[in-house]
Amino acid sequence: MKLAGVLLASSRPLSWVNTAYPFAAAYLMATGHIDLTFVVGTFFFLVPYNVAMYGINDVFDYESDIRNPRKGGVEGAIVKPQFHRAVLWASALLCLPFVAFLLAEGTVASDAVLAVSLFAVVAYSVRGLRFKEIPFLDSLTSSTHFVSPALFAIVLTTGTVNLEQVLVLGAFYAWGLGSHAFGAVQDIVADREGGLRSIA
């Protein structure tokens, strides 16, 4: 039960809609109907995706999070070291059945989009990659977290992306870049004290 509480808190429930909605909206606009793939994909990008994205982040950002007054509430949990291994395992295991289903339902193109999306989730935070500590690449990766579910839905359902969709997704991506960079400003002090670098 303690682990469940940690996973819930670290997954930022108030932010779940930010990844589920792009997938669901793009899927509905592309197909006009709700089916099993829509339900599975929407739930995946609602819960497991966020458990993984933010859980991995909270594990590897522990040193800066304990210095950050914003953490420990709705903007992110402080995951104590005794939970780190369990959070990482839970993140992978919760995603696995959903990813397997979506890969099986998809094509080579949609599978590639999903792979990029999942790579961005890991690469942003995990030690050895830490894209979040490479200015500009941090914003590029963060925006990918939110735009890729929509792109995945389009490619999964239609196999192609038309010019109108490219323009809409491009605008969404540009907004995501600016949003991440602007949001990073409030963490400058905590990140510096924790030895982290970012676009801010």
Side-chain angles (χ1 to χ4, degrees):
M1 291 302 293
K2 285 185 178 180
L3 177 59
V6 169
L7 291 173
L8 180 64
S10 68
S11 69
R12 324 272 206 284
L14 292 181
S15 298
W16 287 357
V17 68
N18 295 337
T19 49
Y21 181 81
F23 173 85
Y27 195 102
L28 283 176
M29 284 191 275
T31 66
H33 66 267
I34 294 174
D35 57 17
L36 179 60
T37 304
F38 169 87
V39 173
V40 172
T42 300
F43 185 79
F44 168 67
F45 286 110
L46 185 72
V47 183
Y49 186 82
N50 284 290
V51 168
M53 179 166 65
Y54 291 119
I56 293 169
N57 182 74
D58 286 346
V59 167
F60 289 98
D61 279 7
Y62 177 73
E63 290 301 324
S64 64
D65 285 351
I66 59 176
R67 296 171 171 84
N68 193 332
R70 291 195 309 113
K71 302 300 180 178
V74 296
E75 294 190 64
I78 296 176
V79 178
K80 295 180 180 179
Q82 63 262 36
F83 290 108
H84 286 183
R85 185 182 296 274
V87 167
L88 294 177
W89 272 106
S91 297
L93 294 175
L94 282 172
C95 288
L96 189 59
F98 296 92
V99 171
F101 176 88
L102 294 170
L103 289 174
E105 289 294 303
T107 63
V108 172
S110 66
D111 290 353
V113 174
L114 184 57
V116 169
S117 184
L118 294 173
F119 174 75
V121 164
V122 174
Y124 186 76
S125 301
V126 75
R127 189 174 296 115
L129 294 171
R130 296 291 286 172
F131 285 6
K132 72 170 296 170
E133 293 196 59
I134 304 173
F136 299 105
L137 184 56
D138 56 351
S139 292
L140 291 168
T141 309
S142 177
S143 192
T144 299
H145 295 158
F146 304 101
V147 178
S148 60
L151 177 61
F152 173 66
I154 293 169
V155 177
L156 178 67
T157 55
T158 68
T160 61
V161 184
N162 62 37
L163 178 59
E164 182 180 8
Q165 292 164 338
V166 168
L167 293 174
V168 170
L169 292 176
F172 185 20
Y173 195 80
W175 177 86
L177 295 176
S179 176
H180 176 270
F182 185 72
V185 171
Q186 61 194 323
D187 292 329
I188 289 176
V189 174
D191 284 355
R192 280 178 177 165
E193 291 179 351
L196 304 183
R197 295 173 296 124
S198 72
I199 193 170

